[in-house]
Amino acid sequence: MAYGRLSLVGACAAGLLLSSTAAFAQGEVEVLHWWTSGGEAKAVGELKDAYEAQGGTWVDSPIAGGGGDAAMTALRARVVAGDPPTAVQLKGPGIQEWAEQGVLADVSDVASEENWDDKLPAVLADIMKYDGEYVAAPVNIHRVDWLWANPEVLAKVDAEMPTTWDEFNAVADKLQEAGITPLAHGGQPWQDATLFEVVALGVGGPDFYRKALVELDQDALTSDTMVAVFDQLRKLRGYVDPNFSGREWNLATQMVMNGEAGFQIMGDWAKGEFLAAGQVPGEDFLCAAAPGDGFILNSDSIAFFKVRDEEQQKGEKVLASLIMSPDFQESFNLAKGSIPANENVPMDDFDHCAQTSKEDLEAAIESDSLVPSMAHEMAVPRSVRGEFLDVVTNFFNSDMSSEDAVQTLATSIDRARL
Ligand code: GAL
């Protein structure tokens, strides 16, 4: 009997040792991110669960605040204090800016072993590299220029999904006359900037968007087209409810879900909220590209910091490989509302909104109408982005004329780019 008990105790001890060894076998990562809404939390939970299933130890560091400005402030404080997280949700130019500081770890051994270059659109592969070395792994491809609608609300005014801004304004006017909020919106700088860039693409087209919001060309910034962009933004300002100021983006999505508003103009992370609430695309909500040609790209990636701890170094490699794996790319993006960054992931399990995104992405790459999101830190340095957000938010929250907004923007950008 004693022997029996001892062998049982021995087996448990061995088991514990094995499991703890197994846990350490896959390392430990602390991940700083801002995915805290319903759909976002579900998606990041897929990454956490997948990493822990491989025996890793996941330390979660969520910083609430849509769009990530609060998270980026927290990140800077952590790095300045010499205590960076193992990994962080980071975008485009931010990856380059942190890599220039020499604080990002490269995961090129994993990337070359797994041929990431053959699995990613070239534009994305370039964004994830610094000096030719991968320092980040992309989790998704979000599209910013989406229009979300409640079909029952549109039916109340006998309206269809608009395909031009004039059609959008006409439906919005009918909703307003019926006493329904046409546009659900959260009055925060990044959300105002999201509306601005979607209108800039829709009104000006991809070439104008690139010249004005990426190349910061003064002629484009001071053009009549930019005046027309602010004119349409002024129309949108007239379609939001009195309590829009400060509202979180996912609460605006809920206004569409519950029929309080007809539309939301927001990236397809909004689809993650509809899905998390059990809503069915095409039945409970509608998705359509916002009026205009092109595709505004916003890809979330996880960048890796140089850390001394060997278990964390190991954890980074395991996490990088996991992020690019087809299973994770499918499960994460099904929940997040985006489409896989890894082009080899089949789209069979994705809904028609995601299928549309994939088709439109390929068409945009082909026709050179794929543009990087300024509002979501894919296009310009944070300092320049900050000038766009300041001018657009001031315009949205005042009676500033479009002409004054154009002049203020051009001057601010000219100063910031120096
Ligand atoms: C974006 C981010 C998305 C989404 C959104 C709202 O910048 O890329 O993943 O979370 O913010 O927080």
Side-chain angles (χ1 to χ4, degrees), residues 51 70 165 257 290-291 315 323 325 328 339:
Y51 183 69
W165 286 108
M257 273 189 230
I323 285 170
S325 68
F328 165 74
I339 60 175

Short mmCIF file of all heavy atoms in Angstrom, two decimals, residues 51 70 165 257 290-291 315 323 325 328 339:
data_model
loop_
_atom_site.label_atom_id
_atom_site.label_comp_id
_atom_site.label_asym_id
_atom_site.label_seq_id
_atom_site.Cartn_x
_atom_site.Cartn_y
_atom_site.Cartn_z
N TYR A 51 -0.99 29.80 -27.61
CA TYR A 51 0.38 29.84 -27.07
C TYR A 51 0.48 28.96 -25.83
O TYR A 51 1.43 28.18 -25.67
CB TYR A 51 0.77 31.28 -26.74
CG TYR A 51 2.18 31.43 -26.23
CD1 TYR A 51 3.26 31.24 -27.09
CD2 TYR A 51 2.44 31.74 -24.91
CE1 TYR A 51 4.57 31.35 -26.63
CE2 TYR A 51 3.73 31.85 -24.43
CZ TYR A 51 4.79 31.65 -25.29
OH TYR A 51 6.07 31.76 -24.83
N ALA A 70 -3.43 55.10 -26.25
CA ALA A 70 -3.06 54.90 -24.82
C ALA A 70 -2.01 53.80 -24.71
O ALA A 70 -1.06 53.90 -23.91
CB ALA A 70 -4.32 54.52 -24.04
N TRP A 165 -21.20 58.82 -52.21
CA TRP A 165 -21.43 59.70 -51.05
C TRP A 165 -22.73 60.48 -51.22
O TRP A 165 -23.43 60.76 -50.23
CB TRP A 165 -20.23 60.63 -50.84
CG TRP A 165 -19.08 59.86 -50.27
CD1 TRP A 165 -17.92 59.50 -50.92
CD2 TRP A 165 -18.99 59.29 -48.95
NE1 TRP A 165 -17.12 58.76 -50.06
CE2 TRP A 165 -17.75 58.62 -48.86
CE3 TRP A 165 -19.83 59.29 -47.82
CZ2 TRP A 165 -17.33 57.95 -47.70
CZ3 TRP A 165 -19.42 58.63 -46.68
CH2 TRP A 165 -18.18 57.97 -46.62
N MET A 257 -26.26 47.89 -34.04
CA MET A 257 -26.83 46.58 -33.69
C MET A 257 -28.25 46.73 -33.14
O MET A 257 -29.16 46.00 -33.53
CB MET A 257 -25.99 45.91 -32.61
CG MET A 257 -24.83 45.11 -33.10
SD MET A 257 -24.13 44.19 -31.71
CE MET A 257 -22.43 44.63 -31.89
N ALA A 290 -17.01 51.27 -48.24
CA ALA A 290 -17.48 52.66 -48.23
C ALA A 290 -17.37 53.21 -49.65
O ALA A 290 -16.56 52.72 -50.45
CB ALA A 290 -16.62 53.48 -47.27
N PRO A 291 -18.21 54.20 -49.98
CA PRO A 291 -18.18 54.73 -51.36
C PRO A 291 -16.77 55.12 -51.81
O PRO A 291 -16.03 55.74 -51.05
CB PRO A 291 -19.08 55.97 -51.26
CG PRO A 291 -20.02 55.68 -50.14
CD PRO A 291 -19.21 54.88 -49.15
N GLY A 315 10.36 32.28 -25.95
CA GLY A 315 8.93 32.53 -26.11
C GLY A 315 8.63 33.37 -27.35
O GLY A 315 7.65 33.15 -28.04
N ILE A 323 2.06 32.81 -34.66
CA ILE A 323 1.27 33.89 -35.29
C ILE A 323 1.10 33.65 -36.78
O ILE A 323 0.04 33.89 -37.35
CB ILE A 323 1.93 35.26 -35.03
CG1 ILE A 323 1.68 35.69 -33.59
CG2 ILE A 323 1.43 36.32 -36.01
CD1 ILE A 323 2.47 36.89 -33.15
N SER A 325 1.13 30.77 -38.25
CA SER A 325 0.60 29.43 -38.57
C SER A 325 -0.82 29.54 -39.11
O SER A 325 -1.61 30.39 -38.66
CB SER A 325 0.60 28.55 -37.31
OG SER A 325 -0.36 29.06 -36.38
N PHE A 328 -3.81 29.37 -36.48
CA PHE A 328 -4.02 30.60 -35.69
C PHE A 328 -4.56 31.71 -36.59
O PHE A 328 -5.49 32.44 -36.24
CB PHE A 328 -2.72 31.07 -35.02
CG PHE A 328 -2.84 32.47 -34.54
CD1 PHE A 328 -3.59 32.77 -33.41
CD2 PHE A 328 -2.29 33.53 -35.26
CE1 PHE A 328 -3.77 34.07 -32.98
CE2 PHE A 328 -2.46 34.84 -34.85
CZ PHE A 328 -3.20 35.11 -33.71
N ILE A 339 -8.99 39.65 -42.22
CA ILE A 339 -8.67 38.45 -43.02
C ILE A 339 -7.21 38.08 -42.73
O ILE A 339 -6.43 38.92 -42.27
CB ILE A 339 -8.89 38.68 -44.54
CG1 ILE A 339 -8.03 39.81 -45.09
CG2 ILE A 339 -10.38 38.95 -44.82
CD1 ILE A 339 -8.14 39.99 -46.61
#
